[in-house]
Amino acid sequence: MKDLTGKINPDDILAVSVLRNEITRLPFFLDHYRHLGVSQFLVVDNNSNDGSAEYLAAQPDVSVWHTAHSYHASRFGLDWLTWLQIKYAHGHWCLMVDADELLIYTGDDAHNLRKLTAWLDGRGQVGFGALMLDLYPKGPLDQCSYRPGQDPRNVMPWFDPSPYRVTRQAPLGNLWVQGGARARMFFGDNLQRAPTLNKIPLVKWNRRYAYVNSTHSMLPPQLNFLYDGPGGQTPSGILLHTKFLPEIVSKSAIEKQRQQHFHAPGNFDHYYDSLSAAPDLWHQGSVRLDNTAQLEDLGLMCAPDW
């Protein structure tokens, strides 16, 4: 068990994450969140063999736990991260994000997470929701190039502005948002299987809280009403989803074999097969990402009233 006594200060903003073989993304991921104001990263490395664990261990603001156990059997890493939150995050503002997720929000250039969380504290609001927005390049996925440390938005700046379907689910009252590029490209014949895009990634953590399904839903149930989705009036952000770097093509065959990422993995073999073929996700309705004001104008997020 790690001893983080004296390493985590009472007002530190924390980030918790589980990952496997993300050495390509890690330099920009860490820099992005450091710039936003994250003080300490608590990371579970799920048996990486690409140098990710060693890279993380060399970072002074990162604490790393290693496991070779099943990602699927741990509720997709949620059990591991919940333990870290219970032990270390109580009373802290805490981000739970994947290595391919970059949080942005209106005014983030002038208002870092410390200012955002102070604003949320002033409203008595204990969380901040976000829409996960798939970014992609124009052209076959394996034809763009990316170097570690580069802003992914420079090589895959396109996204789907619509449609996004928003409903609430019983019994927890959590949102269910679907749509975007992955729904359009890979799940058009069965939209019920399309990825869930609503998340509540930033929470002032309490050890009585728990995520139920990734950061899509929470307990106690009233926490699910912290976010009302695209078109809603509750201040929210965007999680830029950088899944479609060129390495996705080779990684998809590996993940299909590992069978770790879905409740019924065999049902998604076609998804991995499609990605392995390096499709072009761009279409005539694609929009180039320019700034956060654009995303606000499209109704994909709602700005805080700074």
Side-chain angles (χ1 to χ4, degrees), residues 22-299:
E22 295 287 7
I23 191 63
T24 304
R25 286 188 176 87
L26 284 174
F28 188 83
F29 171 83
L30 293 174
D31 285 349
H32 176 79
Y33 285 110
R34 285 167 178 153
H35 180 73
L36 271 185
V38 171
S39 301
Q40 296 289 333
F41 298 84
L42 310 182
V43 180
V44 177
D45 179 77
N46 189 200
N47 211 29
S48 292
N49 57 16
D50 69 344
S52 290
E54 293 80 5
Y55 180 84
L56 291 167
Q59 308 299 312
D61 53 357
V62 180
S63 299
V64 188
W65 286 258
H66 176 82
T67 180
H69 291 291
S70 168
Y71 178 76
H72 187 278
S74 68
R75 292 192 303 142
F76 312 102
L78 195 55
D79 291 340
W80 304 330
L81 297 182
T82 300
W83 184 89
L84 292 179
Q85 289 179 306
I86 291 171
K87 184 164 182 62
Y88 297 112
H90 180 71
H92 289 269
W93 280 97
C94 182
L95 274 168
M96 184 184 283
V97 285
D98 293 334
D100 61 5
E101 295 174 342
L102 303 173
L103 179 65
I104 63 171
Y105 49 89
T106 301
D108 58 12
D109 53 343
H111 300 81
N112 64 12
L113 287 173
R114 194 161 299 281
K115 293 181 179 179
L116 173 62
T117 54
W119 181 82
L120 292 168
D121 280 330
R123 290 167 52 95
Q125 187 170 325
V126 299
F128 188 70
L131 173 72
M132 187 163 62
L133 186 69
D134 292 321
L135 297 183
Y136 49 86
K138 185 176 184 179
L141 293 180
D142 61 354
Q143 295 303 302
C144 66
S145 60
Y146 178 80
R147 64 180 186 277
Q150 186 178 11
D151 188 334
R153 287 168 285 194
N154 292 340
V155 299
M156 45 182 188
W158 299 92
F159 68 94
D160 280 25
S162 63
Y164 292 94
R165 297 165 293 280
V166 182
T167 59
R168 284 207 179 268
Q169 294 183 300
L172 298 183
N174 56 291
L175 280 187
W176 190 19
V177 179
Q178 294 178 294
R182 282 180 292 166
R184 168 174 56 84
M185 283 293 297
F186 307 118
F187 299 95
D189 59 343
N190 190 347
L191 292 176
Q192 294 294 310
R193 290 185 180 174
T196 301
L197 303 179
N198 52 283
K199 292 199 167 188
I200 307 174
L202 177 64
V203 174
K204 190 167 189 178
W205 201 254
N206 187 299
R207 60 175 59 97
R208 294 174 298 175
Y209 296 170
Y211 285 116
V212 178
N213 174 23
S214 179
T215 56
H216 304 309
S217 59
M218 299 190 70
L219 290 171
Q222 63 263 28
L223 297 175
N224 293 311
F225 293 89
L226 291 167
Y227 180 48
D228 53 5
Q233 300 304 306
T234 302
S236 62
I238 293 285
L239 281 171
L240 298 176
H241 192 213
T242 68
K243 182 182 184 69
F244 297 112
L245 292 180
E247 64 187 34
I248 187 65
V249 175
S250 59
K251 278 189 170 183
S252 292
I254 297 170
E255 294 307 321
K256 177 184 175 181
Q257 183 179 24
R258 292 183 70 238
Q259 299 279 292
Q260 290 289 301
H261 279 85
F262 297 101
H263 290 287
N267 291 339
F268 294 87
D269 285 352
H270 76 286
Y271 172 61
Y272 287 125
D273 290 340
S274 297
L275 286 172
S276 295
D280 182 355
L281 304 187
W282 191 91
H283 71 140
Q284 290 296 323
S286 298
V287 171
R288 189 180 185 93
L289 179 63
D290 291 324
N291 51 52
T292 54
Q294 169 198 34
L295 299 172
E296 184 184 351
D297 290 343
L298 288 167

